């Protein structure tokens, strides 16, 4: 089965994988499966650990995000997206979850599974979402060839335009001053927070 996403636990001892077989698997560093998290109705495309390592979030083609404990039980199912959910991320403080969907939005959720905000502005599917290290900014990568920066109130701060094809992945540098984006145009671009291409 194809693996679309992989994440390390904060302590580095566990690896979570998101699979086409509709499951998330937890592995130890010896490559043994510790747990299989089953419950999604379609393939799982994104997976993330909470900062404290106690919760796993999974994003699925079944239009939901699920939150799991380390025993492999579903704690919450986050419903509200109108299409496949591709990526999921926790805020640095662990209190907010962001999800990216083919429905052209990013949604923000609390740990109780309630939708806090919907970030609208992308013209095509959103493939990737990331929080800045200080937790104040969200970056989203869209198939509309852009990266967008948002504040926690859900307002668009900046659009980073310059890619010639859809953007599939976005990440912040550890100091939060640089954003990297990877695109179907076969390039990776580095941007400053003002939205200028550095490289």
């Amino acid at each position: 089965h194809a693996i679309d996403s992989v994440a390390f636990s904060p302590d580095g001892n566990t690896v979570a994988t998101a699979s086409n077989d509709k499951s998330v698997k937890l592995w130890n560093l010896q490559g043994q499966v510790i747990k299989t998290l089953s419950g999604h109705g379609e393939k799982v495309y994104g997976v993330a650990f909470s900062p404290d390592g106690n919760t796993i979030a999974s994003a699925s083609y079944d239009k939901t995000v699920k939150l799991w404990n380390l025993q492999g039980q579903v704690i919450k199912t986050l419903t509200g997206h109108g299409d496949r959910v591709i990526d999921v991320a926790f805020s640095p403080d662990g209190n907010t979850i962001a999800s990216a969907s083919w429905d052209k939005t990013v949604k923000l959720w609390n740990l109780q599974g309630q939708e806090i905000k919907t970030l609208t502005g992308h013209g095509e599917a959103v493939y990737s979402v990331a929080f800045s290290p200080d937790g104040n900014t969200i970056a989203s990568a869209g198939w509309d060839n852009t990266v967008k920066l948002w504040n926690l109130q859900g307002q668009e701060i900046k659009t980073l335009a310059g890619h010639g094809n859809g953007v599939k992945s976005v990440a912040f540098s550890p100091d939060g001053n640089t954003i990297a984006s990877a695109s179907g145009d076969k390039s990776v671009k580095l941007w400053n927070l003002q939205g200028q291409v550095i490289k």
Side-chain angles (χ1 to χ4, degrees), residues 24-105:
V24 171
K25 288 185 170 38
L26 303 183
W27 310 74
N28 62 23
L29 297 186
Q30 288 71 50
Q32 298 160 315
V33 176
I34 311 162
K35 274 278 180 262
T36 299
L37 316 187
S38 299
H40 278 295
E42 294 192 41
K43 73 187 275 188
V44 185
Y45 207 86
V47 65
F49 275 93
S50 61
D52 67 8
N54 292 329
T55 307
I56 296 146
S58 57
S60 171
Y61 275 27
D62 69 8
K63 306 179 187 176
T64 73
V65 170
K66 287 185 185 290
L67 304 182
W68 315 75
N69 62 24
L70 295 183
Q71 289 70 50
Q73 298 160 315
V74 177
I75 310 163
K76 284 276 180 256
T77 300
L78 316 187
T79 58
H81 277 296
D83 209 331
R84 298 171 174 183
V85 189
I86 298 296
D87 194 24
V88 63
F90 279 91
S91 60
D93 67 8
N95 293 329
T96 307
I97 296 147
S99 56
S101 171
W102 277 22
D103 69 8
K104 307 177 186 176
T105 73

Side-chain angles (χ1 to χ4, degrees), residues 185-199:
D185 66 9
K186 303 179 183 172
S187 79
V188 172
K189 290 185 188 292
L190 301 180
W191 315 75
N192 61 24
L193 294 184
Q194 289 69 53
Q196 299 158 316
V197 176
I198 310 164
K199 210 169 182 57

Side-chain angles (χ1 to χ4, degrees), residues 67 76 78 94-98 108-117:
L67 304 182
K76 284 276 180 256
L78 316 187
N95 293 329
T96 307
I97 296 147
L108 304 182
W109 317 77
N110 63 24
L111 293 184
Q112 288 70 51
Q114 297 161 315
E115 188 181 313
I116 309 164
K117 282 272 181 280

Side-chain angles (χ1 to χ4, degrees), residues 119-175:
L119 316 187
T120 57
H122 278 291
E124 295 288 343
V126 187
Y127 269 85
S128 180
V129 64
F131 281 91
S132 60
D134 67 8
N136 293 329
T137 306
I138 296 151
S140 58
W143 210 237
D144 60 4
N145 304 4
T146 71
V147 170
K148 289 183 183 290
L149 303 182
W150 317 77
N151 62 24
L152 294 184
Q153 289 69 53
Q155 298 160 314
E156 189 179 313
I157 309 163
K158 270 286 177 249
T159 297
L160 315 187
H163 278 295
N165 205 320
V167 187
K168 291 227 41 180
S169 186
V170 64
F172 281 91
S173 62
D175 67 7

